[in-house]
Amino acid sequence: DALGQIAASSVLCQVPMPRFRSTSVDGYALSGGAHPKGRAFTLAGEQAAGLDRELTIGNGEAIRVFTGAPLPSGTTTVVMQEDVQVSDTDAQKITLTDEAAPGKFMREAGEDLCEGQRLLSPGDRLTAQRLSLLASQGLQEIAIRLGPRVAVFSTGNELVQPGQPLANGQIYESNGLMLRLLAEQAGASVVTAAHLPDDPDTLRVAIREAVATADMVLLSGGVSVGDHDHVRPVLQELGMTMHFWKVRVKPGKPLLCGQLEDCLVFGLPGNPASSFVSFLVFCLPAFRCWLGLENAAFDEGTGPGQRCSVVLSGRKLHNESDRPHYVRGRFDAKASQFEAIGLQQSHALQSLALANALARVPEHSRLVAGDTVEVVLF
C-alpha cells in the first residue's frame, strides 16, 4: 500500500544482510587453504537452506551445501557441484575436478548491509525495490508523508459538463479533470472537485467551505481583469493574503497565489495550456515542498517537473516578447532532443495532449535547430 508514497522517517538496518555466512551456489563446503585438482574428500553431512544444523567440517571432510544455506563452522571455501566428481563405488567420496581457491562462493555476514546502516531517509520515494529491502528487515509498516488535501474548482458560465448538450457559445469543461488528475499524480488527496459559475456569491460559499477541509485550493479561470473575473476579488474579500498575482511567463500570466487561513490558494488561468503550464511550473513545486521534497533530487530521473538541457531539433523557436515562453513539444530521451509540435496558443489542447515536455524559450530570443534549450518534463 505504500508503493509510490514518500517516507516520513529514517530507517536503519537492524538485521545484517546476509544475516549469517552462507553459500551462493549448490556445492560442497571445505576447510583449510587452497586445494589442488584431484584431491579427495569424505562427505560428512548435508546443510540445506533453512534451519542451521550447526555442522563443523573436519580435516579432509566436505559437507554438501545448497544455495543460501548457512556455512558449517570451519568453512574456508565452497566448490560448485559441477567441479566435483562423486565416486561411482562410494557415494561418500568426492574428488575435485578443478582446483579450489579460498573464499570462493561464500557470502559473508553483513557484507551487503551492516547493523545501523541507513536504509531510508525522510523524503525517499517508496519504490518496489525499497519496500523489498524494508521487508527483508522484517518490517510490516512504514511511516509515510501524506500529501495535501486539495479542492479543485473550475469556473466559467460557458462551461458544460461532458455528457450534457451544448448550446451556442458553450464548450465542454476539461480543466477540472486535468487539475484533479495532476494533483493526484503529485501525491495529493482531492477532497472536493466541482464546477462553479461566474457568480461571486456561489464562489464565496464554495471557497469558504473548501478552506475548512482542504490544505490547498486550485481554481481555474476568473483570475484575470475582466468584468466577469470574480475569483480574485472574492478571495480578497474573504481575507486572503496575496503572495503574488501575475507572473512573467507565457502562457499563464494571470496566475495568482495566496494564503487563506491555513490554506494555500492557487488561481490558475482558464485556458487549458495556461492552466497546465501554471500547474507544472508553480503548483508542482508547492506540492513537492509540502511532501518535504523541495531540496530532493527527482529520484525517478524523468518525473514531472524534472528539468534538463537538450538540443533543439525541428522548427525554430522565436520569442519576441518580454516573458519566457513555455513551448509544447516532444522530448526524445535517446537522442536528447526536443521538437516543438502543433499549435502553441493557450487554448490549444491537441498539442498539449501529444507533448511530453515544455521547452523554456527565454524572452527576446531566437533559437534554431542545434541550439541548447531547457525543457521541463511531464
Side-chain angles (χ1 to χ4, degrees), residues 95-251:
T95 302
L96 299 182
T97 60
D98 198 359
E99 62 181 20
K104 298 283 284 185
F105 306 116
M106 295 166 55
R107 297 168 177 165
E108 296 295 336
E111 69 178 12
D112 182 24
L113 292 173
C114 61
E115 191 171 351
Q117 185 172 342
R118 185 182 297 274
L119 306 181
L120 201 67
S121 297
D124 285 345
R125 191 171 297 278
L126 294 168
T127 62
Q129 306 92 295
R130 285 170 173 162
L131 290 172
S132 175
L133 177 63
L134 299 182
S136 77
Q137 296 291 298
L139 298 178
Q140 295 179 291
E141 296 179 339
I142 178 69
I144 63 168
R145 288 176 174 163
L146 294 178
R149 296 165 299 174
V150 176
V152 177
F153 297 113
S154 59
T155 69
N157 292 338
E158 76 280 14
L159 302 178
V160 175
Q161 292 302 306
Q164 302 299 314
L166 289 175
N168 288 337
Q170 292 182 324
I171 59 174
Y172 284 120
E173 196 281 315
S174 61
N175 273 5
L177 173 66
M178 178 179 70
L179 292 174
R180 176 171 66 83
L181 298 178
L182 287 172
E184 290 175 350
Q185 181 177 275
S189 173
V190 176
V191 294
T192 301
H195 172 68
L196 304 174
D198 292 321
D199 174 68
D201 292 335
T202 305
L203 285 169
R204 190 179 300 109
V205 172
I207 293 171
R208 187 183 291 117
E209 291 178 351
V211 167
T213 58
D215 302 303
M216 292 188 189
V217 174
L218 304 180
L219 293 128
S220 171
V223 293
S224 193
V225 293
D227 292 344
H228 299 282
D229 290 329
H230 302 299
V231 169
R232 183 173 60 91
V234 167
L235 288 170
Q236 290 177 316
E237 179 187 318
L238 290 172
M240 182 191 70
T241 300
M242 184 78 75
H243 293 322
F244 59 84
W245 175 49
K246 295 185 179 181
V247 291
R248 199 164 57 88
V249 168
K250 181 182 178 182

Side-chain angles (χ1 to χ4, degrees), residues 21 28-32 57 65 71-78 106 108:
R21 300 177 79 224
Y28 298 85
L30 308 175
S31 63
I57 303 177
V65 291
L71 287 172
S73 177
T75 300
T76 57
T77 190
V78 175
M106 295 166 55
E108 296 295 336

Side-chain angles (χ1 to χ4, degrees), residues 20-23 28-32 44-47 51-65 69-78 106 108:
F20 45 82
R21 300 177 79 224
S22 62
T23 171
Y28 298 85
L30 308 175
S31 63
E46 178 180 292
Q47 175 68 65
L51 191 63
D52 191 349
R53 298 182 61 198
E54 299 182 355
L55 301 176
T56 300
I57 303 177
N59 186 34
E61 292 181 338
I63 291 181
R64 184 80 161 101
V65 291
L71 287 172
S73 177
T75 300
T76 57
T77 190
V78 175
M106 295 166 55
E108 296 295 336

Side-chain angles (χ1 to χ4, degrees), residues 313-325:
S313 65
R315 72 195 205 203
K316 304 172 183 178
L317 298 181
H318 291 177
N319 180 13
E320 307 296 344
S321 74
D322 61 353
R323 294 179 283 159
H325 188 186

